[in-house]
Amino acid sequence: MKIFLTTAIDYVNSLPHIGTAYEKIGADVIARFRRLCGDEVLFQMGNDEHSANVQKAAEAAGLPPKKYCDEMRPKFEAIWKKLHISYDRFIQTSDQNKHYPTVYEFFDRVNKAGDIYQKDYEGWYCESCEAFYTEKDLENGLCKNHQKKPAWIKEKNYFFKLKKYEKALLNHIEANPGFILPAKRKNEVASFIKQGLEDFSISRSTFTWGIPVPLDKTHVFYVWFDALINYLSWLGLKSLDDLKDNEYWKNVMHIVGKDITRFHCIIWPAMLMSAGLPLPKTVFGHGFVYLRGEKMSKSLGNVVTPLDILEKYPDFGADALRYYLMRGSSFGDDGDFTWDGFIERYNADLANGIGNLASRILGMVWRYQGGSVSPRPFEESQEDLIFKANEVWEYLKIDLSIDEKDPTDIRPHRALEAIWRFISAIDQYIDRRAPWQLAKDKKVDDLSQILTLLVECVRRLSIFCGIFVPDASKKIWRAYGFDKWKNFSDIRAPDQFDSPLSKMPHKLTELKLNLFPRIQVI
């Protein structure tokens, strides 16, 4: 199956914070899991560059906006690569070769449908959100996201007839339970539509950084109209008519923050309806990451960035952050970041958990059998460890997938709970069977069988953990010599069951493994 995963594209007026990283990591977990299942995944990310905030940042840096955006791209990509985000394509909305033509073709279709008109606009506009708001959208006169009073603006803009699509949107939401996830986002969106929609401004005339509107070159497209079309720009379509037969689009999931679900679940599908194009299969609105209970925001100045973690812990910080953010809650719920919680979770689960276990078993194989294990058949009756490994895979399929019949949340925290129960079961098995005592008593055959089983458990564990902590998993794979059998990036689900350790002798590669050294708390 071909699957298209997208994340929200990011404003480049400042570098990403952990809340932004949460989205990319969550999307990456889904992408890695689907690849492991054997699906052909197209994972797309990028930067949203035609905003007033970006123009201001460029002016402050003394650069033309396009040059500023081009210089910010490698800074963003460097962060995502350090966090092991396995995206396939990275887009820029300032790309005149790929993005502009798609925007123009899309606008032409919407305009020919009779859904574009011009009128005077007067109302509230939040520059941080790049969004127009009515009084009912505000909280005590302030933007709910940034706790700042929006600016009152008056412009003559071009508008899209959003209100025209109220009924069609509600009908689509009702007929497609998996269109908006999790369910609470669906309820929020449906409730908002039922209150009545207002037509949507698609142009601005008070600044020049943007894609010119063909009808009137004194206007540029409003950033959201331009940005939403990014999902189509990089699909390689000769014409938007080809979208109907595009295999990736038939299984597209937009992964976005809960604060922009209205744009993706109301404005975007209405635009597609107007253009006569198929709607996305799923929009998933994930929760926020708070800092000690307070929403992180660039404008509020209370952010922790991925670089804060990566610079402090360069050897393992990426995997540690990925684990911490995915372990706390379901993807649709809010999480919280504290330095104390991060260190506590790291020491308990990574240093004392998988790190200690992988090192412990590696050491025993070298100590008792010179780094080699003999081939053994694996049956579920073997102390139930193989059964438990198979059980983990079943949990991953449940918690990291969207059930077509009963679409609900994505639960990386439960998937990790299942993996760590397996780690605990392996530790308990070692303590119960005591390989050191078998070696002392010279029970060679029993010892050999147990060590081969333990190495097999580590092999499967590295496959499972590769979804969440890919760098550590690759190090385990290499240290245990599994790369002599298959490259880590080429592993697919059937490989976990088809073990080379059941067929041939195997030699470990490295003598020591120190994945997650404990963080000393002073």
Side-chain angles (χ1 to χ4, degrees), residues 77-89:
E77 287 202 87
I79 293 173
W80 303 141
K81 287 174 181 176
K82 286 178 181 178
L83 288 175
H84 313 304
I85 309 299
S86 60
Y87 58 89
D88 301 294
R89 293 177 182 170

Side-chain angles (χ1 to χ4, degrees), residues 289-300:
V289 176
Y290 292 90
L291 178 64
R292 299 187 198 90
E294 183 180 50
K295 184 185 178 232
M296 278 189 247
S297 167
K298 297 172 186 176
S299 60
L300 295 177

Side-chain angles (χ1 to χ4, degrees), residues 29 125 186 192 283 312 408:
V29 164
Y125 186 78
K186 170 188 171 182
F192 186 82
V283 178
K312 192 174 182 68
T408 182

